[in-house]
Amino acid sequence: MMKKLFFQRFSLLAITILLSMAGVADAIGQRNANRNAPLFSQFVYEGNDQVYIDNPLGPDEFYTPILQGCYPDPAIVRRGDDYFMVHSSFAMFPGVPIFHSKDLVNWKQIGHVLDRKSQLKVYDSGISAGIYAPAIKFNPFNETFYMITTQFAGGIGNMVVKTKDPFQGWSDPYKLNFEGIDPSMFFDDDGKAYVVHNDAPDAGKELYSGHRVIKIWDYDLEKDQVIAGTDKIIVDGGVDITKKPIWIEMPHIYKKDGRYFLMCAEGGTGGWHSEVIFVSDSPRGPYVPAPNNPILSQRYLNPNRPNRVEWAGHADLVEGPGGKLYGVFLAIRPNEKNRVNIGRETFILPVDWSGEFPVFENGLVPMQPKLKMPAGVVNKTGTEGYFPNGNFTFTENFTTEKLDYRWIGMRGPREDFISVTRRGLQIRPFETNIKEVRPISSLFKRQMHQRFTASTVLEYTPRSEKDLAGMVCYQSELFNYVFGVTKKGKDFYLVLQRTERGKSTIIASEKIDVKKPIHLQIDADGDNYNFNYSFNGTDYTTLGGTVSGDILSTNVAGGFTGNLIGLYATSVNDAQPE
């Protein structure tokens, strides 16, 4: 018996020692992996657009767009004195950025609605798939906020999440049983709930390319599901189907003076984009278009006007401070070559609803970069944690564990590949390349100006030609620039790679010494991009000369996003120096 106990104890001791040794080995392996991980010790983004230099703010003014960069498809809701606004995020992770304000001028990002893998399944989605056109509503009968959207990923489709408090997170998705896109909700005074959305016409009834309809469903608040058999087409084609209107979408229902107003985008999210409105005596129609449609558009204007704003539409209405109505909407500001690199941004205008139908004030004439602030509001943008706009500098020293919400991942959480150390941010390289439709180890921030510089300080010693770390400009997996440090033979190189339609070419490469930190900088002025480097942070050299930002525009790359500036690392690099 004593011998048996001895061997049992010896076996347990041996197993414990082996497990301990394995743990030490794992720790050493992880430490070695981290030792080879690139270290980014600072990031500085500075925007310097001429429009803001030429149009300084007065004490009672604020800028529109209120959110610069790729924050498209805004939707807004008010509860008491609190405003919440959400935006499309496509394959970005986390998804659906959510902002809070007390006055429609000063906005703070409070997080993302979809911040967990159980909510957001975009791990194999192209950048312009994923989350489309969220709507946010508040139901006073159960004191619950709802965010409803379409997720082109994970087999989900149309879905809704909900919360009692947007500051405290949101539920997992409830999958909704209908096709189409751009759903929104409406809660009537009698407590009934409805869902409206864009859909295809009934089978066999499509009259032309871009012919779409708006449908309505009754909604069961207990089951969080549309009620089968209640669907009804309430708009066919658009304002005037004889003119073959395209892409009637993103419907919102508002109730005023006992009548129901259905506001939709029409014309597609491009040069013919607009906002139109209909009226009915019942939420389920029939709806009659207003005689003065569109109520918002920039499509009829002189293309040579200064400070152009285009593609205006996809709007939502909210009562502002003092009872004044406002509308948020998307629009774009093209560069000097009419290209859209920044993406679709969030603008705001006051709305006049003194007549039968609402009209966006100055929404049909050339938009100006400044607006008068609501009475009693003080402009605090860029201070006290409020989101900046105009020209500004954003500095990130990576000294706190909790990064700014403006830093995002692609198809997966940023926490899966980053760690904040005493010396800065480390990125653990994934075995994925930036051209793949999988999660990539790159930390992104949106381009927000036509003229900007973005710079970082990198410490990195690649072990092989498969290792690379540096900066990227990323319009999509098929269109991007990679600017990073890699290895060839016994030497180290800085390379600039251009990828267009998935085909990559090396623009330039330069042998460098990696014993000292290298300063990397992207310097853009409209369509002209320069990828610069320095070893002292003062004297910069351009690698490969000035290159075109064409592939960073939606005009060339397609899709629905703007250029993203990334801090990138990979262990399957294919950018080989020449």
Side-chain angles (χ1 to χ4, degrees):
M1 176 64 73
M2 292 296 293
K3 184 182 291 186
K4 183 177 180 181
L5 286 173
F6 171 78
F7 281 113
Q8 285 178 341
R9 290 174 180 173
F10 179 80
S11 299
L12 287 172
L13 178 61
I15 291 170
T16 301
I17 292 171
L18 287 171
L19 288 173
S20 177
M21 290 174 65
V24 170
D26 285 345
I28 293 172
Q30 184 63 46
R31 193 158 55 242
N32 287 336
N34 287 340
R35 187 178 297 129
N36 190 54
L39 179 76
F40 297 89
S41 55
Q42 188 183 63
F43 176 88
V44 179
Y45 174 94
E46 184 175 3
N48 192 34
D49 281 352
Q50 192 64 41
V51 62
Y52 299 119
I53 297 172
D54 295 341
N55 295 274
L57 289 177
D60 62 342
E61 296 175 326
F62 70 107
Y63 286 127
T64 182
I66 49 175
L67 297 184
Q68 295 161 227
C70 180
Y71 292 98
D73 306 333
I76 194 168
V77 70
R78 178 179 182 175
R79 184 194 184 190
D81 294 331
D82 294 300
Y83 298 90
F84 299 95
M85 185 166 60
V86 294
H87 310 267
S88 291
S89 54
F90 308 103
M92 303 171 196
F93 201 112
V96 187
I98 180 167
F99 292 82
H100 171 258
S101 178
K102 289 284 189 180
D103 51 30
L104 298 181
V105 173
N106 304 298
W107 291 92
K108 287 184 180 180
Q109 187 171 0
I110 60 173
H112 293 79
V113 175
L114 306 178
D115 57 8
R116 305 188 300 276
K117 291 182 180 179
S118 60
Q119 299 170 306
L120 189 58
K121 301 181 183 298
V122 293
Y123 47 84
D124 58 356
S125 299
I127 190 173
S128 285
I131 298 296
Y132 278 45
I136 185 169
K137 304 293 180 182
F138 177 70
N139 185 357
F141 292 93
N142 60 7
E143 296 189 335
T144 300
F145 290 88
Y146 293 79
M147 192 285 294
I148 186 169
T149 190
T150 310
Q151 182 169 175
F152 283 101
I156 295 175
N158 291 297
M159 53 166 273
V160 66
V161 295
K162 58 185 183 178
T163 185
K164 294 288 187 180
D165 183 357
F167 291 96
Q168 299 300 319
W170 297 73
S171 71
D172 277 349
Y174 296 86
K175 180 177 169 59
L176 301 173
N177 297 331
F178 60 87
E179 301 298 323
I181 61 172
D182 290 13
S184 182
M185 306 183 81
F186 173 69
F187 305 108
D188 207 347
D189 298 336
D190 59 5
K192 290 184 178 179
Y194 303 87
V195 168
V196 285
H197 65 99
N198 159 299
D199 206 347
D202 291 340
K205 294 186 178 181
E206 183 178 357
L207 302 179
Y208 51 88
S209 178
H211 177 196
R212 303 289 288 181
V213 303
I214 300 297
K215 282 185 179 179
I216 191 167
W217 299 73
D218 294 354
Y219 187 80
D220 188 328
L221 289 166
E222 295 297 322
K223 297 179 180 179
D224 280 303
Q225 188 58 262
V226 294
I227 299 174
T230 63
D231 56 309
K232 178 186 178 184
I233 294 175
I234 54 176
V235 172
D236 187 4
V239 169
D240 184 353
I241 198 169
T242 66
K243 295 181 179 179
K244 298 183 178 181
I246 59 171
W247 293 105
I248 190 77
E249 57 191 2
M250 199 57 258
H252 292 287
I253 292 177
Y254 311 96
K255 191 172 186 180
K256 183 175 184 287
D257 300 330
R259 295 203 298 167
Y260 300 85
F261 293 83
L262 175 70
M263 192 173 76
C264 307
E266 186 185 278
T269 184
W272 204 245
H273 206 198
S274 70
E275 198 71 16
V276 298
I277 197 158
F278 308 77
V279 67
S280 176
D281 292 326
S282 165
R284 294 179 58 84
Y287 281 90
V288 178
N292 60 326
N293 280 314
I295 58 174
L296 167 69
S297 186
Q298 296 284 282
R299 66 191 181 195
Y300 300 112
L301 304 177
N302 183 350
N304 297 318
R305 65 192 185 276
N307 300 325
R308 288 169 54 207
V309 175
E310 302 281 13
W311 302 7
H314 198 115
D316 198 4
L317 303 179
V318 71
E319 183 181 310
K324 177 66 178 175
L325 198 66
Y326 285 83
V328 293
F329 56 96
L330 74 80
I332 59 97
R333 296 177 295 157
N335 66 22
E336 78 284 1
K337 292 193 175 179
N338 200 35
R339 292 181 180 139
V340 184
N341 291 44
I342 300 177
R344 297 174 299 155
E345 305 175 283
T346 290
F347 290 71
I348 191 169
L349 280 177
V351 174
D352 183 352
W353 205 340
S354 58
E356 181 180 8
F357 295 99
V359 176
F360 284 75
E361 296 180 18
N362 297 318
L364 298 172
V365 299
M367 291 184 189
Q368 301 303 308
K370 301 190 298 183
L371 294 174
K372 293 292 183 182
M373 283 192 297
V377 176
V378 176
N379 193 339
K380 298 180 181 180
T381 54
T383 66
E384 300 178 23
Y386 291 105
F387 214 68
N389 61 8
N391 286 332
F392 59 83
T393 298
F394 169 79
T395 301
E396 175 68 78
N397 291 317
F398 303 115
T399 56
T400 60
E401 195 71 32
K402 186 176 176 60
L403 289 181
D404 190 284
Y405 288 124
R406 282 169 281 187
W407 290 112
I408 55 170
M410 185 59 60
R411 305 183 190 92
R414 59 191 191 179
E415 290 78 14
D416 284 357
F417 59 87
I418 66 169
S419 58
V420 177
T421 72
R422 288 184 296 106
R423 297 175 55 231
L425 178 88
Q426 282 190 317
I427 293 182
R428 179 174 60 85
F430 284 171
E431 292 184 3
T432 52
N433 189 282
I434 199 165
K435 294 191 284 290
E436 295 186 62
V437 184
R438 292 197 289 162
I440 52 179
S441 43
S442 186
L443 190 65
F444 288 109
K445 183 191 178 299
R446 294 161 173 87
Q447 177 181 335
M448 307 173 85
H449 297 81
Q450 306 286 5
R451 185 191 297 168
F452 74 90
T453 59
S455 59
T456 191
V457 181
L458 171 66
E459 295 179 52
Y460 183 51
T461 303
R463 290 175 174 169
S464 77
E465 64 182 21
K466 293 296 184 181
D467 296 327
L468 179 142
M471 299 183 76
V472 296
C473 281
Y474 182 84
Q475 173 61 233
S476 76
E477 56 274 5
L478 298 176
F479 296 85
N480 54 73
Y481 282 105
V482 171
F483 179 47
V485 176
T486 188
K487 188 178 184 182
K488 182 179 180 180
K490 296 181 178 180
D491 298 317
F492 301 97
Y493 287 82
L494 183 64
V495 297
L496 177 61
Q497 180 191 61
R498 172 186 167 102
T499 297
E500 181 175 2
R501 293 181 174 85
K503 182 179 179 181
S504 299
T505 57
I506 298 297
I507 301 296
S509 61
E510 184 74 28
K511 189 185 296 186
I512 61 169
D513 182 358
V514 297
K515 293 178 182 178
K516 296 189 297 184
I518 185 169
H519 297 251
L520 302 178
Q521 182 190 74
I522 302 168
D523 182 5
D525 186 357
D527 189 64
N528 297 319
Y529 284 67
N530 291 298
F531 293 84
N532 308 321
Y533 67 97
S534 170
F535 290 100
N536 59 16
T538 303
D539 304 307
Y540 280 89
T541 300
T542 300
L543 184 67
T546 299
V547 298
S548 174
D550 55 352
I551 61 170
L552 306 177
S553 71
T554 53
N555 313 66
V556 173
F560 304 107
T561 62
N563 177 41
L564 300 176
I565 303 159
L567 307 179
Y568 169 61
T570 180
S571 60
V572 287
N573 169 53
D574 67 347
Q576 304 299 328
E578 296 180 340

